[in-house]
Amino acid sequence: YAINLTTGTLTTLLLYITAGTIANNIYNQPELAKLIQILSITTIAQALYTTSTAILIGYERMQHHSLINITYSILKSTIAPILVFLGYQLIGAALGQSLPLLLAGLTASAFVINNLRRYQTNGSLSYIGPIVKYSKPILASSILGGLFLQSLNFTLSLNVPLAEMGNYTAAVNFNVLISFILTPISTAMFPLLSKLDPKNKIFQTVYTNIIKYEALAAYPLAAAVIALSDKMIGILYGSSYPTAILYVK
């Protein structure tokens, strides 16, 4: 928790301080400096949110985890539209992206602190070794995936027109429909799998059933999104995002 919080804080400070340089020298758009400073908050906010919710799952505080997700969804779906409607335009959209995540992260951290008080610890750091050893595959995939995604977004922002970036973002948003199915199942099954012996037949049976039922739910939903993408984009975004249909398919 401390490592993620420290890393997120340092990254936020670095982005905030160098926002002017990034906007002027890399993007050649000085007006982006203020937006970069506002969005730099998402780095520390994401660290708080991700780490805290992971700890809550580990302690099997699923009611707290669900409450945090619901709170974040409500805040994100209301703050940005309200600020944009009030005339804050891009600043309002940036604040609508950062503030909900920060508030949800702080709330999740409060739940974590409250849960940790119930457990006695001797201050030993001997647990760090097993945690690092266990998390190597997840850590490696997260780092590589994060680097690839950020490199892709950075390259797109420099070489692709803003209109196409908007179409691409609109298409990517449809991934949420699939995550509605996969994320709750994965979140609920993680504490169960962590209690079972991987060599046990029960573990293998449970794991196989999870994959099977996730696939049974995800593949038809993905096919439906592809088939109905033109109608859904027309309803949600109108005629301003013509190439988003191609990106979804």
Side-chain angles (χ1 to χ4, degrees), residues 126-146:
S126 58
Y127 62 86
I128 293 181
I131 289 178
V132 172
K133 181 179 179 181
Y134 172 78
S135 62
K136 280 182 179 179
I138 300 176
L139 178 63
S141 62
S142 298
I143 292 176
L144 292 176

Side-chain angles (χ1 to χ4, degrees), residues 134-168:
Y134 172 78
S135 62
K136 280 182 179 179
I138 300 176
L139 178 63
S141 62
S142 298
I143 292 176
L144 292 176
L147 288 175
F148 174 77
L149 181 60
Q150 296 304 320
S151 299
L152 176 62
N153 290 335
F154 181 75
T155 304
L156 287 174
S157 64
L158 293 178
N159 299 281
V160 176
L162 294 179
E164 288 304 310
M165 284 290 296
N167 281 275
Y168 171 76

Side-chain angles (χ1 to χ4, degrees), residues 194-240:
S194 65
K195 295 179 179 179
L196 299 176
D197 185 357
K199 298 180 181 179
N200 194 307
K201 291 184 178 180
I202 297 178
F203 177 92
Q204 299 174 9
T205 301
V206 172
Y207 182 77
T208 302
N209 286 334
I210 292 173
I211 299 299
K212 178 175 68 176
Y213 289 116
E214 281 189 340
L216 287 175
Y219 283 114
L221 181 58
V225 170
I226 294 173
L228 301 174
S229 58
D230 53 343
K231 295 182 179 179
M232 289 190 295
I233 290 176
I235 294 173
L236 295 174
Y237 297 106
S239 59
S240 301

